[in-house]
Amino acid sequence: MALTSEQRAEIEAQRSEPQLTSRPTVAAMENLLFTPFEVLDHGFLRVVDYMGDDGAVVQAARVSYGRGTKKVSEDAGLIRYLMRHRHSTPFEMCEIKFHVKLPVFVARQWIRHRMASVNEYSARYSILDREFYLPAMDQVAAQSSSNRQGRSDALDADTAHQVLEILRRDASQCYDDYESLLNPEGRGLARELARINLTLNTYTQWYWKIDLHNLMHFLALRADPHAQYEIRVYAEKMIEILKAWVPATAAAFEEYRLGAFTLSAGMLKVVRRRLAGETVTQENSGLTKREWSEMAAVLDGAS
Amino acid sequence: MALTSEQRAEIEAQRSEPQLTSRPTVAAMENLLFTPFEVLDHGFLRVVDYMGDDGAVVQAARVSYGRGTKKVSEDAGLIRYLMRHRHSTPFEMCEIKFHVKLPVFVARQWIRHRMASVNEYSARYSILDREFYLPAMDQVAAQSSSNRQGRSDALDADTAHQVLEILRRDASQCYDDYESLLNPEGRGLARELARINLTLNTYTQWYWKIDLHNLMHFLALRADPHAQYEIRVYAEKMIEILKAWVPATAAAFEEYRLGAFTLSAGMLKVVRRRLAGETVTQENSGLTKREWSEMAAVLDGAS
Amino acid sequence: MALTSEQRAEIEAQRSEPQLTSRPTVAAMENLLFTPFEVLDHGFLRVVDYMGDDGAVVQAARVSYGRGTKKVSEDAGLIRYLMRHRHSTPFEMCEIKFHVKLPVFVARQWIRHRMASVNEYSARYSILDREFYLPAMDQVAAQSSSNRQGRSDALDADTAHQVLEILRRDASQCYDDYESLLNPEGRGLARELARINLTLNTYTQWYWKIDLHNLMHFLALRADPHAQYEIRVYAEKMIEILKAWVPATAAAFEEYRLGAFTLSAGMLKVVRRRLAGETVTQENSGLTKREWSEMAAVLDGAS
Amino acid sequence: MALTSEQRAEIEAQRSEPQLTSRPTVAAMENLLFTPFEVLDHGFLRVVDYMGDDGAVVQAARVSYGRGTKKVSEDAGLIRYLMRHRHSTPFEMCEIKFHVKLPVFVARQWIRHRMASVNEYSARYSILDREFYLPAMDQVAAQSSSNRQGRSDALDADTAHQVLEILRRDASQCYDDYESLLNPEGRGLARELARINLTLNTYTQWYWKIDLHNLMHFLALRADPHAQYEIRVYAEKMIEILKAWVPATAAAFEEYRLGAFTLSAGMLKVVRRRLAGETVTQENSGLTKREWSEMAAVLDGAS
């Protein structure tokens, strides 16, 4: 279980008495507030606050479009239109704030998304807990030979056990020495120095706040199969939350982003030729082998 | 009166039934929601939504500081500390959304603040109303001779009347022609072209959303006496709203930003010499005349 | 001619003696520096400075990929890969700075792109020139009936002449009064107030600096056929400059952005069914009429 | 020595033949290009490219101010004025790009500055070198008791030796296991997983590009005595580079930022009272003890 009972009690204590508000409120999100979703072996994700709903997207778009659209278009249709034509500013009008516990190496990928606000637990100021990420057995995988930045199949059980044993031993040793370095009765090293001894799988936590447009951009990249598994599981959990929060926007996002495919100019020519009845091969397609196989995987279900 | 009864009815219709929420809620802000504050002759400002409160700033800061501070520091003290030491990220954890009606020339200054989200009423898509800004008599002012980008005293009543008559006549003529160009029974010119005939004092409107840190940065610049009067009145109204929303943050903002003064390295030397009993003049101060008078105005109440 | 001989002389005077540099230098860009390209009736666009080239994109990508790629991939191929997979950060490593003269209503669209730096000529500080945009005859067009935010065919010559006469008369009248309001021998109104009497087709100018990634994002939106003609002509000129500056990147941009088409999840199903030999109609496609016609226009050349 | 001869050769190989350019060129910067400055035990910092100079700041400001200022103000004076009044946009018109080698824990602080572009060496794609940061003896310091996020005096030599031995041993062990996990003849673990075993003092590298305004913001925070030593040394080196690049801007930055002190509203009252001859103590000052001592340290040289 990712959360200790102490952590659960601390989160629970933050729950305030429900109060009346005239702000847009989403019943499904109220149920999610203060509920930590477990991710990986010690991580979690929970919604701390949110602003706006599908209606707030529409409301903002209609200011920019004026009174005219009110008659002609209902909300979901307008949201689909905005998404299809990449009119992204109305989606910036909603905001969400998460409390996330995640390994440092995941945090390092995550922070690359600059259009967000973040406050991280400071290891200069406080002492980190003895918690580090160890992959589940089926995630202890070999280097991919086809994809230089990906993983392949799981290693055999024996090897995986050895790997996990090494990871556990080194992280433990480093944490033991971190504590020993810090000990004010002993060496009393400054926290900002002692922490440099920790391994990259150590857990950290932060508050992370982002608008709906930038959240979807983050999710499109991090829920992608090419993203590293350990960040993808956070992104997938967030997509579930997205569906609860802004169902019409989430549906349009799946239709026009997650489930979409962009044909390059060259691919477009190939599709036109094929639709006109011509048989096209990679050799006469004008595409590289890699482009050809990427397209074939999507259009013909080949891989 | 800035708002027509039709506009008031439209705003009122957006007010939804209060609902229960577990999110941080600020009673004083609930009273402000859906209340348009009149600004200038036809403009307004109203809060559409907000996220977070003073407690949300503290909560985010304490993640970054860890459990330690809980005992030693109460909320207002921590907020003062964060403001004094320019630890700005916890203030990004609150967000506010306004609906604003404002003249185009004010919108052009406002939009320069990039760290915000905006959806503006589109004059390509819709027709703008016949509403344009005319200054009040006491704001029809002469060019400042000392400040190349400011105004001086109000013109005499006769001249001011002439000025207002010219502004009114030109804006009216341009709007009449705008309507005539657009008229589908007549010329039927495209909206995106017809609008180029309007004057810069025509009113537009937008939804504008910003986090608390960037809002304060905007306010520090736009509530400053050097800001143009017509944007300053919006900023001053927002400072009132700030006090209702996040009173501890607003107090710290006044203490460490609005009411503060930055001594340059050279000014610091002068202050040290004076405190040590020396009589310092501009000539032996090392400061330029302009720096000297800026400092004297603040330290000695001279101007 | 858009530029007065005085303006040309002023620009020419900024040209400095060529100097030796070890920075990446692009011969084709050196020829463009200080050459103003005329746009619209009084506007221009000129490159003031640039940083980096195609090689700088590759160099940055290879830091992030490490030594490995040096053997397997040559520069243009790597750039195509980065573009196709939306690895955008290496394109942020190049930067370009323009000096632009443009009508205020175009500037209002342009400034919405926040990921850029801008310094605009200040009408609080200085007096604007008597220059305003009047469309060419073939651009005096009717409102589109199918596209609420676009224009349709040109108006007939008589009507167009009337339109231009109205635009000219109102802009002239407003400018005459602007001068009269400003006149220190007369009313002496503050510049920051007098300018509000000007029409939205008045020319302004600014320095605008942006990185290559964000420039391409701007161009994809503003060189699009749905963009307003008056901003599109600036974007089209910039695409020419892009080709001179970073030819490999520009080619990839045309292949994977400008000439590409994104199939939504629903469209993808239709294409798969058609490629498998099925006859699909809008009625049994699952697509809306609008989606169907957007797709047909691209895949079958219908419109 | 921080750089291996292999690394020096690689950097040297990037130096291209000097070419003629009409862009603003700074002789002192040309000398710095391709010169890696050593920082910490294995880190470095080198300028890869730059755009603009002091003149480019002035040029941009004068567009926004128009022709008027040309006579009244020379460049350095205008730059001082812009800096004093926080007119920051002209400083965005210059850009600089660094190649930096730095420990991961420093990179984690550095990346918090979002207004920059970065491409980091990818440990998913490539293998990191066996290089980790070990503090110099005089930097092996105790936790500060007065500042919860800082360090105090150096530990005694014996303890420091023990600390360094622990840091060295753990980093070595983790790196040995990293190599062993990766070994394709052995376990063949995916790179993206093996790297999680490394310690936070492992070196990484990146290309980092930022505009002059945001660079100064970074430097004001990271060259501050409260910043962690290991990032401060990079910032201090950059300030030297700043002086070579834009000497007038660097001088104004020292006068109005680095060497300046902001008096809060309450401090301002105290200074006024003291200048008027009153003796003020902390007790009757209205300031907290902490504010009082911060002010006293600056104004009276007390600490």
Side-chain angles (χ1 to χ4, degrees):
Chain A
M1 197 190 66
L3 283 159
T4 64
S5 54
E6 192 184 33
Q7 288 165 332
R8 289 189 179 277
E10 203 174 323
I11 285 171
E12 192 58 31
Q14 284 183 18
R15 189 194 296 271
S16 54
E17 276 302 291
Q19 290 184 272
L20 284 169
T21 186
S22 296
R23 294 172 291 166
T25 301
V26 179
M29 287 297 273
E30 293 294 326
N31 294 332
L32 296 182
L33 289 171
F34 303 102
T35 304
F37 295 97
E38 302 190 351
V39 188
L40 300 178
D41 53 350
H42 297 291
F44 67 79
L45 181 75
R46 67 185 185 92
V47 180
V48 172
D49 204 346
Y50 67 93
M51 174 197 254
D53 56 8
D54 278 327
V57 174
V58 168
Q59 182 191 40
R62 281 183 178 147
V63 168
S64 74
Y65 289 159
R67 277 156 292 191
T69 54
K70 280 184 189 166
K71 309 155 208 157
V72 297
S73 142
E74 43 113 352
D75 288 9
L78 176 54
I79 284 173
R80 288 169 65 92
Y81 174 86
L82 296 169
M83 188 77 74
R84 192 161 79 250
H85 291 274
R86 297 191 176 264
H87 292 192
S88 54
T89 54
F91 297 107
E92 293 181 26
M93 287 289 154
C94 296
E95 194 88 15
I96 192 162
K97 195 196 302 181
F98 294 102
H99 180 190
V100 193
K101 187 164 185 180
L102 69 179
V104 167
F105 73 95
V106 174
R108 296 234 301 136
Q109 295 185 334
W110 194 310
I111 198 80
R112 299 298 313 280
H113 296 265
R114 289 159 290 182
M115 294 296 104
S117 295
V118 62
N119 280 272
E120 186 175 353
Y121 189 88
S122 167
R124 294 182 72 195
Y125 197 87
S126 303
I127 298 173
L128 287 166
D129 290 327
R130 178 192 284 276
E131 287 177 326
F132 38 85
Y133 169 66
L134 294 177
M137 282 289 287
D138 63 341
Q139 286 299 328
V140 183
Q143 175 62 35
S144 167
S145 55
S146 62
N147 177 358
R148 276 190 63 86
Q149 54 186 329
R151 66 179 79 163
S152 178
D153 297 330
L155 296 173
D156 65 85
D158 262 15
T159 313
H161 273 298
Q162 291 169 29
V163 166
L164 289 173
E165 189 40 40
I166 292 171
L167 293 173
R168 186 188 332 263
R169 190 194 59 210
D170 285 348
S172 294
Q173 179 67 47
C174 287
Y175 192 88
D176 287 347
D177 285 332
Y178 168 67
E179 281 195 316
S180 154
L181 291 167
L182 283 175
N183 187 354
E185 311 298 308
R187 299 188 182 86
L189 187 65
R191 281 185 287 273
E192 64 179 20
L193 282 173
R195 58 153 171 183
I196 76 177
N197 199 56
L198 295 171
T199 48
L200 283 163
N201 55 354
T202 306
Y203 273 90
T204 183
Q205 52 181 301
W206 61 31
Y207 278 72
W208 188 67
K209 175 173 148 292
I210 194 165
D211 70 51
L212 176 54
H213 165 63
N214 282 293
L215 175 64
M216 291 189 290
H217 185 68
F218 175 88
L219 295 177
L221 292 171
R222 299 305 180 180
D224 186 273
H226 293 92
Q228 183 164 350
Y229 168 79
E230 283 77 13
I231 194 167
R232 206 166 65 229
V233 286
Y234 287 90
E236 286 166 355
K237 181 56 72 182
M238 284 185 199
I239 289 178
E240 288 177 42
I241 293 169
L242 189 78
K243 289 175 185 173
W245 179 27
V246 283
T249 299
F253 177 57
E254 296 210 299
E255 176 71 16
Y256 299 111
R257 288 290 174 282
L258 294 187
F261 181 70
T262 295
L263 297 171
S264 69
M267 291 176 185
L268 203 48
K269 279 187 203 145
V270 172
V271 171
R272 283 188 192 123
R273 287 163 63 191
R274 289 182 62 188
L275 289 177
E278 192 182 339
T279 300
V280 187
T281 64
Q282 190 262 315
E283 288 72 19
N284 68 16
S285 69
L287 303 179
T288 64
K289 280 186 183 170
R290 188 153 189 175
E291 287 177 304
W292 179 264
S293 70
E294 284 177 13
M295 184 180 69
V298 171
L299 296 187
D300 307 299
S303 66
Chain B
M1 198 189 66
L3 283 158
T4 65
S5 54
E6 193 185 32
Q7 288 166 332
R8 287 189 180 279
E10 204 175 322
I11 285 170
E12 192 57 31
Q14 285 183 16
R15 189 193 295 270
S16 54
E17 278 300 293
Q19 289 184 274
L20 284 170
T21 186
S22 296
R23 295 173 290 166
T25 300
V26 179
M29 287 298 273
E30 293 295 325
N31 294 332
L32 294 184
L33 287 172
F34 303 104
T35 303
F37 295 97
E38 303 191 352
V39 188
L40 299 179
D41 53 350
H42 298 289
F44 67 78
L45 180 74
R46 67 185 186 90
V47 180
V48 172
D49 205 346
Y50 67 93
M51 175 197 252
D53 56 8
D54 277 328
V57 175
V58 168
Q59 183 190 38
R62 280 183 179 148
V63 169
S64 73
Y65 290 160
R67 278 157 290 192
T69 55
K70 278 185 191 166
K71 310 153 209 159
V72 296
S73 141
E74 43 113 353
D75 290 7
L78 177 53
I79 284 174
R80 287 170 64 94
Y81 174 86
L82 296 170
M83 188 78 73
R84 192 160 79 250
H85 291 275
R86 298 193 175 266
H87 292 191
S88 55
T89 54
F91 297 107
E92 293 181 25
M93 287 288 153
C94 296
E95 193 89 15
I96 192 163
K97 196 196 302 181
F98 294 101
H99 179 189
V100 193
K101 188 165 184 180
L102 70 178
V104 167
F105 73 94
V106 173
R108 296 235 300 137
Q109 294 185 335
W110 195 307
I111 198 79
R112 298 299 312 281
H113 296 266
R114 288 160 290 182
M115 294 296 104
S117 296
V118 61
N119 281 272
E120 186 176 354
Y121 189 87
S122 169
R124 292 182 73 194
Y125 196 89
S126 303
I127 298 173
L128 288 166
D129 290 328
R130 178 193 286 277
E131 287 178 327
F132 38 85
Y133 168 66
L134 294 178
M137 281 290 286
D138 63 341
Q139 287 299 328
V140 183
Q143 175 62 37
S144 167
S145 55
S146 62
N147 176 358
R148 274 190 64 86
Q149 54 185 331
R151 66 179 77 165
S152 177
D153 298 331
L155 296 174
D156 65 86
D158 263 15
T159 312
H161 272 299
Q162 291 169 30
V163 165
L164 289 172
E165 189 41 39
I166 290 170
L167 293 173
R168 184 188 333 264
R169 190 192 62 209
D170 285 349
S172 293
Q173 178 66 45
C174 287
Y175 192 88
D176 287 346
D177 285 334
Y178 169 66
E179 280 196 315
S180 154
L181 291 167
L182 283 175
N183 186 352
E185 310 298 309
R187 298 187 182 87
L189 187 67
R191 282 185 288 272
E192 66 179 20
L193 282 172
R195 61 154 171 182
I196 75 177
N197 199 57
L198 295 171
T199 47
L200 283 163
N201 54 354
T202 306
Y203 273 91
T204 183
Q205 51 181 300
W206 61 32
Y207 278 72
W208 188 67
K209 174 173 149 291
I210 193 164
D211 68 50
L212 176 55
H213 165 64
N214 282 292
L215 175 64
M216 290 190 291
H217 185 67
F218 175 88
L219 294 177
L221 291 171
R222 299 307 180 178
D224 187 273
H226 291 93
Q228 184 164 350
Y229 168 79
E230 283 79 12
I231 195 166
R232 205 166 66 229
V233 287
Y234 287 89
E236 286 166 353
K237 180 57 71 181
M238 283 185 199
I239 289 178
E240 288 178 40
I241 294 169
L242 189 78
K243 290 176 184 172
W245 179 26
V246 282
T249 300
F253 177 57
E254 295 211 300
E255 176 69 16
Y256 298 111
R257 290 289 176 283
L258 294 187
F261 182 70
T262 296
L263 296 172
S264 68
M267 292 176 185
L268 204 48
K269 278 187 203 145
V270 171
V271 171
R272 283 189 192 122
R273 287 163 64 191
R274 289 183 62 188
L275 289 176
E278 190 181 340
T279 300
V280 186
T281 62
Q282 188 262 316
E283 288 72 19
N284 69 14
S285 70
L287 303 179
T288 65
K289 280 187 182 169
R290 189 154 187 171
E291 288 176 305
W292 179 264
S293 69
E294 283 176 15
M295 184 179 69
V298 171
L299 294 188
D300 306 298
S303 65
Chain C
M1 197 189 68
L3 283 159
T4 64
S5 54
E6 191 185 35
Q7 288 166 332
R8 288 189 180 279
E10 203 174 324
I11 286 171
E12 192 56 31
Q14 285 183 17
R15 189 194 294 271
S16 53
E17 277 301 292
Q19 290 185 273
L20 283 171
T21 186
S22 297
R23 294 173 291 167
T25 301
V26 179
M29 287 298 274
E30 294 294 325
N31 294 332
L32 294 183
L33 287 172
F34 304 102
T35 304
F37 295 98
E38 303 191 351
V39 188
L40 299 178
D41 53 350
H42 297 289
F44 67 78
L45 182 73
R46 68 186 186 89
V47 180
V48 171
D49 204 346
Y50 68 93
M51 173 197 253
D53 56 9
D54 278 327
V57 174
V58 168
Q59 182 191 41
R62 280 183 179 148
V63 167
S64 73
Y65 289 161
R67 279 157 290 192
T69 55
K70 279 184 188 165
K71 313 152 205 160
V72 296
S73 140
E74 45 115 350
D75 289 7
L78 177 54
I79 283 174
R80 288 170 64 93
Y81 174 86
L82 296 169
M83 188 77 74
R84 193 159 80 250
H85 291 274
R86 298 193 174 266
H87 292 190
S88 54
T89 54
F91 297 107
E92 293 181 25
M93 288 288 153
C94 296
E95 193 89 15
I96 192 162
K97 196 196 300 183
F98 294 101
H99 179 190
V100 192
K101 187 165 185 181
L102 71 178
V104 167
F105 73 95
V106 173
R108 296 235 300 137
Q109 295 185 334
W110 194 308
I111 198 81
R112 298 298 313 279
H113 296 266
R114 287 159 292 182
M115 294 297 103
S117 295
V118 60
N119 280 274
E120 185 175 353
Y121 188 88
S122 168
R124 292 182 73 194
Y125 196 89
S126 303
I127 297 173
L128 288 165
D129 290 327
R130 179 192 285 275
E131 286 178 327
F132 38 85
Y133 168 65
L134 294 177
M137 281 291 285
D138 63 341
Q139 286 300 328
V140 183
Q143 175 63 36
S144 167
S145 55
S146 62
N147 176 358
R148 274 189 64 87
Q149 53 185 331
R151 66 179 79 165
S152 176
D153 298 331
L155 296 173
D156 65 86
D158 262 16
T159 312
H161 273 299
Q162 292 167 30
V163 165
L164 290 173
E165 188 42 39
I166 291 170
L167 293 173
R168 182 184 340 254
R169 190 193 59 208
D170 285 349
S172 294
Q173 178 66 45
C174 287
Y175 192 88
D176 287 345
D177 285 333
Y178 169 66
E179 281 196 314
S180 154
L181 291 167
L182 283 175
N183 187 352
E185 311 297 308
R187 298 187 183 89
L189 187 66
R191 283 186 286 271
E192 65 180 19
L193 282 172
R195 60 156 170 180
I196 75 176
N197 199 56
L198 295 171
T199 49
L200 284 163
N201 54 354
T202 306
Y203 274 90
T204 183
Q205 52 181 299
W206 60 32
Y207 277 72
W208 188 68
K209 173 171 150 294
I210 194 165
D211 70 50
L212 176 54
H213 165 64
N214 282 292
L215 175 63
M216 291 189 289
H217 185 68
F218 175 88
L219 295 178
L221 292 172
R222 298 307 180 177
D224 186 273
H226 292 93
Q228 183 164 351
Y229 167 79
E230 282 78 12
I231 195 166
R232 205 166 65 230
V233 288
Y234 287 89
E236 286 166 354
K237 181 57 70 183
M238 284 185 198
I239 289 179
E240 289 178 40
I241 294 169
L242 189 78
K243 290 176 184 172
W245 179 26
V246 281
T249 299
F253 178 57
E254 295 211 300
E255 176 69 16
Y256 299 110
R257 290 287 174 285
L258 293 187
F261 181 71
T262 296
L263 296 172
S264 68
M267 292 176 184
L268 203 48
K269 279 188 201 145
V270 171
V271 171
R272 283 188 191 125
R273 286 164 64 191
R274 289 182 63 187
L275 289 176
E278 191 182 339
T279 300
V280 186
T281 63
Q282 188 261 317
E283 288 72 18
N284 68 16
S285 69
L287 303 179
T288 64
K289 281 186 182 169
R290 188 153 187 174
E291 288 176 305
W292 179 265
S293 69
E294 283 176 15
M295 184 181 68
V298 171
L299 295 188
D300 307 299
S303 66
Chain D
M1 197 189 67
L3 283 158
T4 64
S5 55
E6 192 184 34
Q7 288 166 333
R8 288 190 178 278
E10 203 174 322
I11 285 171
E12 192 57 31
Q14 284 182 21
R15 190 193 295 269
S16 52
E17 278 301 293
Q19 290 185 272
L20 283 171
T21 186
S22 297
R23 294 173 291 166
T25 301
V26 179
M29 287 298 273
E30 293 295 325
N31 294 333
L32 294 184
L33 288 172
F34 304 102
T35 303
F37 295 96
E38 302 191 351
V39 187
L40 300 178
D41 54 350
H42 297 290
F44 67 79
L45 180 75
R46 68 184 185 94
V47 180
V48 171
D49 203 348
Y50 67 92
M51 172 196 254
D53 56 8
D54 278 329
V57 174
V58 168
Q59 182 190 40
R62 280 183 178 149
V63 168
S64 75
Y65 289 160
R67 278 158 289 193
T69 53
K70 280 186 190 166
K71 311 155 208 156
V72 296
S73 142
E74 43 113 350
D75 288 8
L78 177 54
I79 283 173
R80 288 169 64 93
Y81 175 85
L82 296 170
M83 188 78 73
R84 193 161 79 248
H85 291 275
R86 298 192 174 265
H87 293 192
S88 55
T89 54
F91 297 107
E92 293 180 26
M93 287 288 153
C94 296
E95 194 89 14
I96 191 162
K97 196 195 302 182
F98 294 100
H99 180 189
V100 192
K101 188 165 186 179
L102 69 179
V104 167
F105 73 95
V106 173
R108 297 235 301 138
Q109 295 185 334
W110 195 307
I111 198 80
R112 298 299 313 280
H113 296 267
R114 289 159 290 183
M115 295 296 106
S117 295
V118 62
N119 280 272
E120 186 175 354
Y121 188 87
S122 169
R124 294 183 70 194
Y125 196 88
S126 305
I127 298 173
L128 288 166
D129 290 328
R130 180 193 284 274
E131 287 177 327
F132 37 84
Y133 168 66
L134 294 177
M137 281 290 284
D138 63 342
Q139 287 299 329
V140 183
Q143 175 62 37
S144 166
S145 55
S146 62
N147 178 359
R148 275 191 63 86
Q149 53 185 329
R151 65 179 79 163
S152 178
D153 298 331
L155 297 173
D156 65 86
D158 263 13
T159 313
H161 273 299
Q162 293 168 29
V163 165
L164 289 172
E165 189 42 38
I166 291 170
L167 293 173
R168 185 187 335 262
R169 190 194 60 209
D170 285 348
S172 294
Q173 178 65 45
C174 287
Y175 193 87
D176 287 346
D177 285 332
Y178 167 67
E179 281 195 315
S180 155
L181 290 167
L182 283 174
N183 187 353
E185 312 298 309
R187 299 189 182 88
L189 187 66
R191 283 185 285 274
E192 66 180 18
L193 282 173
R195 60 154 168 180
I196 75 177
N197 199 56
L198 295 171
T199 48
L200 283 162
N201 54 353
T202 306
Y203 273 90
T204 182
Q205 52 181 302
W206 61 31
Y207 277 72
W208 188 68
K209 175 173 150 290
I210 194 165
D211 69 50
L212 175 55
H213 165 64
N214 282 292
L215 175 63
M216 291 189 290
H217 185 67
F218 175 89
L219 295 177
L221 292 172
R222 299 306 181 179
D224 186 273
H226 292 91
Q228 184 164 352
Y229 167 80
E230 283 78 13
I231 194 166
R232 207 167 63 229
V233 286
Y234 288 89
E236 286 166 355
K237 183 55 71 180
M238 285 185 198
I239 288 178
E240 288 177 41
I241 294 169
L242 189 78
K243 289 176 184 172
W245 178 27
V246 282
T249 298
F253 177 59
E254 295 211 299
E255 175 71 16
Y256 298 112
R257 290 287 175 283
L258 294 187
F261 181 71
T262 296
L263 297 172
S264 68
M267 292 176 184
L268 203 48
K269 279 188 202 143
V270 171
V271 172
R272 283 187 192 124
R273 286 164 64 192
R274 289 182 63 188
L275 290 176
E278 192 181 339
T279 300
V280 187
T281 63
Q282 190 263 315
E283 289 71 20
N284 69 16
S285 70
L287 303 180
T288 64
K289 281 186 182 169
R290 189 153 187 174
E291 288 176 306
W292 179 264
S293 69
E294 284 176 15
M295 183 179 70
V298 171
L299 295 187
D300 306 299
S303 65

